[in-house]
Amino acid sequence: MTRLERNDRLIRLGLLMIAFSAVSILIVITLFIFSEGTPIMFKYGPGRFLFGLDWYPSEKAFGLLPMIVGSFFVTAGALLVGVPMGLACAIVLTQFASKRVGRILKPVIELLAGIPSVVYGFIGIVVIVPLIRENLGGPGLSVLAASLVLGVMILPTVISISIDAFQAVPPTYREGSIALGATVWQTIRMVMFPAARSGIVAAVILGMGRAIGETMAVIMIAGNAAAIPGSPLAPVRTLTSNIALEMGYASGEHREALFATGVILFVIIMALNILANWTSARRKR
Amino acid sequence: MTTPIIEVKTLSLWYGKFQALKDVTIDVEINRITALIGPSGCGKSTFLRTLNRMNDLIEGVRITGTVLFQGRAIYAKGTDLLDLRQNVGMVFQRPNPFPISVADNVTYGLRVHGITDRTVRDERLQRSLEAVHLWSELKDGLNRNALALSSEQQQRLCIARLIAVEPEVLLMDEPCSALDPIATARIEELMAELKKLYTIVIVTHNMQQAARVSDTTGYFLLGELIEVGPTPQVFTAPRDSRTEDYITGRFG
Ligand SMILES: Nc1ncnc2c1ncn2[C@@H]1O[C@H](COP(=O)(O)OP(=O)(O)OP(=O)(O)O)[C@@H](O)[C@H]1O
Ligand SMILES: [Mg+2]
């Protein structure tokens, strides 16, 4: 073996170790969350966590259902706002492609992705929340406020992935449709959407993952009441907010219950990622 | 001598600053096959796409001159593009069926043009597939995804998809270039049948194909239509020496 060859092997070994340590950090984190969070779930029975309605950790009431439902509502609301907007942007950018519009829209979308979530939360507090309170009633800090802000926050994810999905559709489909006398909109609806469907599904799922995981902005504008919201104008607490709000001072079983919250969140997000990978793998075939 | 269905007069086209067509004048006669030949990049596809205004999809295209379809100027203001493209349909070089079922592919144009009556649809579906000799093969597989068909079947399906909307003219841009010789021969037979009902303009790289199938041949070179005439004359007694160079293989 020459010196160069030996060097090569050393470098490869070094890179491999670094890569492996990244993977092992992930494994350690996962193990840690599960080892901290699952014992208490099995001590009191997972049903009490998953379906309990009351969250009074000091009195051993660990019901996470309001937070699970809360995360679900806020995420669904964010999708309702973000997916139509995101798809509209992707369609404008890929299908009506006037270069000038693209030159304006693209950087704006990239900028949206770069804004820290505190800033979104802040805008939510000073703009959205008062608007809701004064025009629609309620405290303003609400499912609606969180949905609107999260809807904008997931836009970059939804847009960039659905742009990829539309761009992956062979241009010949579009030509073939137009050549049959279809309008651009008919072409989009009847050919582009079916052809890009799995990619669009992946965009929605990843947007969903982003919405579920978002914490800071949600804490600032959702109101954080640990009860199932009765209307879009009612305050709500999500799984992520639950952890972030209380981890600072929790101890003992309270702290373990927050880890249990983390376990539930982890499972949901893993499931979403697997689903997204599965749909995009299907797309490649 | 029959009447022309398409009359092109001094048509020029620019992609930005590049002039791809120069003063092209040609009549396309009804129920005839007109073949366009010429070396790569000479503007055959570009010309074909001007006949149903497919170049409108490309940014920066500028066109002068006139194209009359059934006596009407298609580049005039207020032209109904959807109607034009229904009447002047196009088959592409690579078969491009949509990734939906065979039946949905054929009825696509009908749905696009608002024909929703089931019996009409089913009848056109069968008639169009019969016209391209796919019916017996596919009548039990109408719900199969069109992408699962062979290339030849896909190209036939694309022709059926056009026929379903009852066009007048079929534009074909090298429709056989993705097919093997046997499939090519069968598509050529199909064209000979179709010309009874439709007018066909075909772009081809294959001079034998032009000679075999067409009634009229036009030779393009660097954006100019050098010569156009009855196919036997163009191939046996070309008037222009440049055409002669090309068809005798002395080109380039
Ligand atoms: N969208 C476009 N933008 C700019 N130039 C183009 C565009 N499409 C074609 N051209 C140019 O116009 C000329 C004619 O192209 P066209 O595709 O019509 O040729 P063709 O005769 O069909 O060639 P081939 O036999 O290779 O298909 C070529 O020089 C080509 O580079
Ligand atoms: Mg071409």
Side-chain angles (χ1 to χ4, degrees):
Chain A
M1 205 187 309
T2 66
R3 229 181 60 230
L4 277 177
E5 274 175 337
R6 198 173 10 250
N7 259 346
D8 224 34
R9 273 170 65 129
L10 277 176
I11 289 169
R12 199 161 67 209
L13 200 71
L15 288 175
L16 207 69
M17 274 165 64
I18 294 168
F20 191 73
S21 59
V23 175
S24 44
I25 288 169
L26 185 71
I27 293 172
V28 168
I29 291 174
T30 312
L31 286 179
F32 180 69
I33 295 173
F34 273 78
S35 69
E36 295 284 311
T38 43
I40 191 171
M41 285 178 85
F42 286 106
K43 185 174 168 194
Y44 293 104
R48 214 159 132 182
F49 284 83
L50 291 173
F51 304 114
L53 285 171
D54 297 310
W55 173 259
Y56 301 114
S58 51
E59 293 158 30
K60 303 207 183 305
F62 299 120
L64 288 173
L65 189 63
M67 278 65 99
I68 295 171
V69 172
S71 276
F72 176 78
F73 278 177
V74 165
T75 303
L79 292 180
L80 238 52
V81 175
V83 169
M85 270 168 80
L87 286 181
C89 286
I91 286 171
V92 166
L93 283 171
T94 58
Q95 306 301 304
F96 293 96
S98 120
K99 287 196 184 100
R100 227 183 39 232
V101 177
R103 265 205 298 272
I104 301 168
L105 264 181
K106 274 245 177 68
V108 169
I109 293 159
E110 276 153 25
L111 200 68
L112 278 183
I115 297 174
S117 52
V118 194
V119 175
Y120 280 103
F122 181 69
I123 293 169
I125 285 186
V126 297
V127 182
I128 311 273
V129 169
L131 269 177
I132 292 175
R133 186 170 53 226
E134 282 149 30
N135 295 303
L136 301 171
L141 300 162
S142 58
V143 177
L144 181 61
S147 300
L148 290 174
V149 172
L150 275 181
V152 176
M153 291 179 74
I154 67 171
L155 272 183
T157 309
V158 175
I159 293 172
S160 65
I161 303 205
S162 40
I163 282 181
D164 288 348
F166 281 121
Q167 279 174 345
V169 177
T172 55
Y173 289 177
R174 185 179 145 83
E175 282 198 319
S177 172
I178 301 277
L180 278 166
T183 63
V184 175
W185 175 239
Q186 283 172 327
T187 303
I188 291 168
R189 195 163 48 83
M190 295 164 70
V191 176
M192 300 304 288
F193 260 102
R197 186 171 51 211
S198 56
I200 294 169
V201 170
V204 173
I205 293 172
L206 289 172
M208 205 186 288
R210 173 108 174 73
I212 288 185
E214 177 52 41
T215 313
M216 178 53 82
V218 177
I219 289 181
M220 292 168 75
I221 54 181
N224 304 323
I228 292 180
S231 89
L233 299 176
V236 64
R237 181 188 290 202
T238 63
L239 289 164
T240 49
S241 315
N242 198 41
I243 302 171
L245 285 165
E246 301 186 3
M247 206 39 130
Y249 61 87
S251 63
E253 287 196 331
H254 183 189
R255 181 170 171 280
E256 285 174 39
L258 293 180
F259 271 102
T261 313
V263 169
I264 293 171
L265 194 60
F266 189 92
V267 170
I268 294 175
I269 289 177
M270 277 306 268
L272 286 179
N273 267 320
I274 290 168
L275 207 64
N277 278 334
W278 181 70
T279 52
S280 65
R282 250 184 17 156
R283 175 170 40 153
K284 292 209 182 78
R285 265 195 284 123
Chain B
M1 192 78 193
T2 47
T3 44
I5 186 166
I6 295 176
E7 296 155 75
V8 179
K9 288 182 194 128
T10 60
L11 182 78
S12 294
L13 181 146
W14 288 261
Y15 290 114
K17 288 207 175 65
F18 173 72
Q19 184 169 8
L21 294 176
K22 294 169 190 156
D23 268 343
V24 175
T25 297
I26 183 174
D27 287 351
V28 176
E29 276 161 29
I30 198 161
N31 292 14
R32 291 278 185 279
I33 297 180
T34 301
L36 305 176
I37 58 171
S40 202
C42 65
K44 306 180 296 291
S45 299
T46 301
F47 174 73
L48 201 67
R49 294 164 61 94
T50 59
L51 301 183
N52 66 346
R53 290 191 57 174
M54 285 298 284
N55 287 316
D56 289 19
L57 300 184
I58 300 167
E59 249 181 293
V61 167
R62 194 161 64 79
I63 291 169
T64 63
T66 53
V67 178
L68 304 182
F69 169 64
Q70 295 181 329
R72 260 174 310 181
I74 65 170
Y75 283 93
K77 264 208 202 98
T79 299
D80 183 350
L81 282 186
L82 309 183
D83 186 60
L84 171 70
R85 290 178 186 146
Q86 178 186 342
N87 281 306
V88 184
M90 188 160 215
V91 176
F92 296 83
Q93 186 164 0
R94 309 219 15 214
N96 59 347
F98 305 129
I100 51 183
S101 74
V102 168
D104 286 346
N105 262 283
V106 179
T107 58
Y108 182 84
L110 301 179
R111 282 178 284 143
V112 155
H113 294 289
I115 299 169
T116 50
D117 189 289
R118 269 210 83 90
T119 50
V120 175
R121 250 200 241 178
D122 289 348
E123 184 253 325
R124 293 256 194 113
L125 171 63
Q126 179 170 354
R127 193 148 47 87
S128 310
L129 286 176
E130 277 170 354
V132 298
H133 306 297
L134 275 181
W135 178 251
S136 55
E137 275 163 71
L138 291 182
K139 66 172 185 284
D140 298 319
L142 293 174
N143 291 320
R144 278 170 70 192
N145 191 307
L147 300 187
L149 304 179
S150 73
S151 306
E152 183 195 346
Q153 286 175 323
Q154 290 189 6
Q155 198 60 299
R156 284 173 186 270
L157 182 67
C158 290
I159 297 172
R161 188 169 72 179
L162 282 189
I163 290 175
V165 297
E166 304 187 327
E168 303 289 333
V169 179
L170 306 179
L171 307 175
M172 301 185 170
D173 193 349
E174 301 186 40
C176 299
S177 67
L179 305 179
D180 63 50
I182 295 170
T184 300
R186 286 198 296 245
I187 297 280
E188 286 176 10
E189 277 170 39
L190 176 61
M191 289 193 285
E193 289 171 32
L194 291 175
K195 88 170 184 189
K196 292 175 198 134
L197 294 167
Y198 309 96
T199 305
I200 297 176
V201 183
I202 178 179
V203 165
T204 177
H205 255 125
N206 179 331
M207 275 185 283
Q208 286 77 32
Q209 182 170 62
R212 277 192 303 262
V213 301
S214 72
D215 305 295
T216 305
T217 296
Y219 172 57
F220 274 89
L221 182 63
L222 297 172
E224 269 180 88
L225 182 62
I226 300 295
E227 172 159 3
V228 59
T231 300
Q233 177 250 304
V234 172
F235 278 93
T236 55
R239 266 183 252 116
D240 195 292
S241 64
R242 289 168 294 180
T243 316
E244 186 169 4
D245 288 349
Y246 184 69
I247 59 173
T248 54
R250 256 182 289 143
F251 176 79

